[in-house]
Amino acid sequence: MINYVTAGESHGPQLTGIITGIPAGLKLDIKEINDALAARQGGFGRGDRQKIEHDSVEITGGVRHDITLGSPISLTIQNRDYSHWSQIMDPISPATQSNTLRQITRPRPGHADLVGGMKYGQSDLRNVLERSSARETAMRVALGQICKQLLSQLDINLIGYVQQIGATKIPEQDLSVQEINNAIEQNDLRILDSNFVEQIHNSILQAKKDGDTLGGVIKVVVENVPAGLGSYISWNTKLDGQLAGAVMGINAMKGVEIGDGFAAAGKPGSQVMDEIDWNPNTGWSRLTNHLGGFEGGMTNSMPLIIKAAMKPIPTLYKPLQTVDIKTKEKQKAQVERSDTTAIVPASIVVESVVAIEIAKAITATFEASNLDRLQKALHDYRKELLQY
Ligand code: EPS
């Protein structure tokens, strides 16, 4: 079964990730992983940090001649910015006056700063900021893209894109993963309709001028997932619950929806349930997909639709009120270099964690030591479902 852990601070030497449970025999496309890392760095509204970084992954275990071995896969991504922070973020040298400069004592509302300091007993909130920073999501993307490549070998494809930035909502279209991919590649906002680009660029520029930030909504579509992943038998085996937890576990997420989500709550059942259909060639399906591909915590063979609401970034250049943790004086919050919006990068992060959770469910359901065997097991299972 797939499991993973990441380590590393935002301005420390590097990010490290280890993922277990990836079958042996998967050919990894490192360029594809690096392309996703580059995409996560991009998008309109990013700050100056991304001019310094050039994220690319180094594989240090679990892979030989670009084929996975079935053993834990370990990855690293260098933080180039560490060269500017090597004294302050030195993991080994004891603290001195000169290497503890740039302390943070004025917590930013909405950031982990204050509560993290209280919980871990930190007098320099940098010790919180460094790990709570969304820099860590670079590694989740690298790990998630390995899972995306595994899913693609099982004919399961997915994509994350941006549905709303600030108050601007992009009208929805019923498109395949490939069509979504083609549409969002046309602009630097990962939105379906490039006609909105100028308006959104202006709103991001305005927010930046105002010292403010913007959030948004991300949508992930997963195609060709077989029915029956997850289970109704216990709350903690429901796959929609696991997905929601993983998505909410991404920095700044404040809401997760499956299918019509909150909108379904206000409609009569007749407009929400997806009527059942059967065809001798394609098997079971639903006439609509309001429930986003889930019934009873299990996939039902319709595309999975997962949405995530991201709050605006809490670091404001026009800071809000806070209280200095040392002097207890009312102050303006610390201003740190940051992004105006990170909704575009977050869409790749959400896609990546969704890929991990689906891959996790598949490798927990079928024998997955080896890719050929897993492919065969899934093929047989799909055939069996067709004959149900
Ligand atoms: C972040 C603050 C900024 C972002 C960072 C997340 O970093 P810095 O303080 O170094 O400018 O750029 O995101 C990344 C570094 C990244 O790679 O996504 C924060 O406080 O969460």
Side-chain angles (χ1 to χ4, degrees):
M1 166 130 140
I2 288 175
N3 241 314
Y4 67 101
V5 66
T6 72
E9 277 63 46
S10 178
H11 303 98
Q14 66 179 42
L15 301 172
T16 307
I18 298 184
I19 187 161
T20 59
I22 299 292
L26 173 68
K27 186 173 165 57
L28 285 185
D29 185 336
I30 309 296
K31 182 180 174 301
E32 242 177 46
I33 299 175
N34 287 336
D35 286 349
L37 288 174
R40 194 205 69 92
Q41 286 198 265
F44 198 81
R46 277 294 222 171
D48 288 342
R49 172 77 185 269
Q50 302 311 322
K51 292 180 187 151
I52 301 169
E53 301 300 340
H54 252 293
D55 292 344
S56 70
V57 80
E58 191 189 348
I59 299 191
T60 52
V63 182
R64 186 168 179 224
H65 306 311
D66 82 6
I67 310 277
T68 59
L69 296 170
S71 43
I73 299 174
S74 52
L75 309 172
T76 61
I77 297 171
Q78 298 302 319
N79 289 324
R80 287 194 172 194
D81 206 11
Y82 181 61
S83 62
H84 307 120
W85 291 83
S86 56
Q87 289 205 325
I88 290 176
M89 291 304 296
D90 188 324
I92 301 297
S93 310
T96 62
Q97 251 190 353
S98 69
N99 71 13
T100 49
L101 297 172
R102 300 195 63 172
Q103 294 208 358
I104 294 178
T105 58
R106 288 174 286 128
R108 294 159 293 173
H111 217 284
D113 299 347
L114 178 60
V115 189
M118 293 163 79
K119 178 175 170 72
Y120 289 94
Q122 302 291 358
S123 54
D124 177 4
L125 299 179
R126 176 159 302 286
N127 288 340
V128 176
L129 166 163
E130 285 291 336
R131 180 64 184 163
S132 64
S133 163
R135 174 76 190 143
E136 181 270 347
T137 62
M139 185 48 77
R140 267 189 272 181
V141 166
L143 300 174
Q145 295 300 313
I146 294 177
C147 292
K148 188 178 174 182
Q149 290 183 20
L150 170 63
L151 293 177
S152 144
Q153 290 302 312
L154 305 171
D155 296 324
I156 296 169
N157 297 304
L158 78 163
I159 189 134
Y161 64 98
V162 175
Q163 212 186 29
Q164 179 179 335
I165 301 183
T168 311
K169 291 182 187 166
I170 316 301
E172 267 308 286
Q173 299 174 43
D174 193 13
L175 301 176
S176 67
V177 165
Q178 186 57 52
E179 288 166 335
I180 294 169
N181 197 41
N182 296 344
I184 65 175
E185 272 184 354
Q186 306 301 316
N187 58 68
D188 60 4
L189 295 170
R190 282 175 79 87
I191 57 174
L192 291 182
D193 186 346
S194 294
N195 291 315
F196 284 85
V197 166
E198 196 182 333
Q199 180 191 339
I200 295 175
H201 278 185
N202 287 338
S203 68
I204 295 172
L205 290 172
Q206 188 61 47
K208 187 173 182 182
K209 206 164 134 202
D210 296 343
D212 222 323
T213 56
L214 296 176
V217 176
I218 290 153
K219 181 167 167 183
V220 177
V221 179
V222 194
E223 264 174 12
N224 203 24
V225 184
L229 295 183
S231 174
Y232 61 91
I233 56 170
S234 292
W235 68 271
N236 56 357
T237 57
K238 288 175 186 273
L239 182 55
D240 46 5
Q242 288 161 1
L243 273 170
V247 172
M248 196 66 110
I250 298 169
N251 313 43
M253 296 306 154
K254 280 293 182 189
V256 183
E257 286 190 335
I258 306 285
D260 289 356
F262 279 81
K267 292 181 187 165
S270 56
Q271 289 174 31
V272 173
M273 304 314 139
D274 303 303
E275 289 183 294
I276 296 174
D277 204 16
W278 183 83
N279 171 305
N281 300 315
T282 51
W284 298 94
S285 69
R286 307 292 180 279
L287 297 181
T288 52
N289 192 18
H290 299 296
L291 299 180
F294 281 97
E295 286 167 318
M298 298 170 291
T299 54
N300 67 2
S301 84
M302 296 299 285
L304 308 186
I305 310 288
I306 300 126
K307 283 184 252 172
M310 184 184 198
K311 74 181 181 191
I313 289 192
T315 307
L316 303 181
Y317 281 95
K318 190 179 67 189
L320 301 173
Q321 181 192 300
T322 191
V323 174
D324 189 297
I325 58 166
K326 286 210 169 121
T327 65
K328 302 292 186 293
E329 279 168 0
K330 279 188 189 146
Q331 294 269 358
K332 289 293 178 194
Q334 198 105 5
V335 177
E336 289 287 304
R337 178 184 61 184
S338 191
D339 309 311
T340 308
T341 179
I343 189 76
V344 175
S347 67
I348 295 148
V349 183
V350 180
E351 170 193 291
S352 301
V353 306
V354 167
I356 295 173
E357 293 309 310
I358 306 295
K360 197 187 271 184
I362 287 180
T363 54
T365 307
F366 302 96
E367 213 288 299
S369 311
N370 167 281
L371 180 61
D372 287 345
R373 208 176 303 137
L374 177 59
Q375 280 172 324
K376 187 175 178 310
L378 209 65
H379 179 262
D380 291 349
Y381 178 67
R382 287 185 199 275
K383 220 161 105 186
E384 192 187 317
L385 293 183
L386 208 57
Q387 285 157 7
Y388 177 80

